[in-house]
Amino acid sequence: MTNRTLAIIKPDAVKKMLTGKIIDRILKGGFAIIHMKQIHLTKKQAEGFYAIHRDKPFYNDLVAFMSSAPCIVLVLKKENAVDELRKVIGATNPDLADEGTIRKDFADNIQNNAIHGSDSNENAIKEIAFFFSTSEIL
Ligand code: ATP
Ligand code: MG
């Protein structure tokens, strides 16, 4: 489905009580929330979710961070959802993110960067299935 994407409000933002502010940005960006839940990822789940980065030098720290505390997982709907959400999120490194983006305003650094967004339609479908069962999606 090209109109859906997956977002994760990451542990740094949840701990800083920024969930409401970030959801407000998402809604103001024109997204509908289809599903949402809080989950404390196990180390195994974090490893699986970010498996694509397993050879990167930051992988172990990223997995430890993502499994350090609860996060909020959301399925979002909008026309061209993947690209639209990444515009609202901003660049990976908050120092390089555009003004008014979530990462510019709420991220601490390149790792603790407040939110995840799927990077392609193909990955959005995989990531939604990673967190939500078919019966929840339908
Ligand atoms: P995400 O996949 O979380 O939406 P992204 O697509 O902007 O972020 P990726 O390159 O997929 O960026 O990296 C995944 C995550 O790994 C980043 O969001 C960040 O938390 C962490 N990360 C990426 N690059 C670095 C780095 N150089 N140092 C530390 N952590 C990093
Ligand atoms: Mg990514």
Side-chain angles (χ1 to χ4, degrees):
M1 264 174 278
T2 61
N3 62 350
R4 292 192 185 192
T5 191
L6 184 100
I8 305 176
I9 303 176
K10 294 185 181 181
D12 58 321
V14 175
K15 272 204 251 180
K16 285 160 60 187
M17 313 287 268
L18 291 169
T19 300
K21 285 189 172 147
I22 291 174
I23 289 175
D24 190 49
R25 294 286 181 93
I26 289 170
L27 294 174
K28 287 199 171 113
F31 293 87
I33 298 172
I34 305 293
H35 300 290
M36 175 165 73
K37 66 183 172 190
Q38 178 167 303
I39 180 171
H40 191 150
L41 291 176
T42 63
K43 186 166 175 274
K44 258 201 159 55
Q45 283 174 312
E47 281 169 352
F49 185 77
Y50 276 122
I52 194 165
H53 294 305
R54 84 170 76 78
D55 297 329
K56 305 266 172 65
F58 57 80
Y59 179 67
N60 287 341
D61 285 346
L62 174 63
V63 166
F65 161 60
M66 289 300 292
S67 56
S68 65
C71 53
I72 313 280
V73 188
L74 307 99
V75 179
L76 302 173
K77 184 175 175 185
K78 187 183 179 180
E79 196 62 42
N80 203 16
V82 166
D83 292 343
E84 288 294 303
L85 184 66
R86 288 184 72 91
K87 277 189 217 157
V88 171
I89 287 178
T92 312
N93 183 346
D95 293 339
L96 305 177
D98 288 341
E99 293 296 329
T101 58
I102 291 172
R103 282 173 170 163
K104 180 71 175 184
D105 292 338
F106 302 126
D108 292 332
N109 53 55
I110 194 169
Q111 177 187 268
N112 299 12
N113 60 4
I115 187 165
H116 160 82
S118 307
D119 63 6
S120 66
N121 289 328
E122 192 191 350
N123 284 336
I125 290 164
K126 283 188 199 155
E127 290 176 3
I128 290 168
F130 186 92
F131 286 108
F132 295 92
S133 65
T134 313
S135 59
E136 282 175 297
I137 294 166
L138 291 175

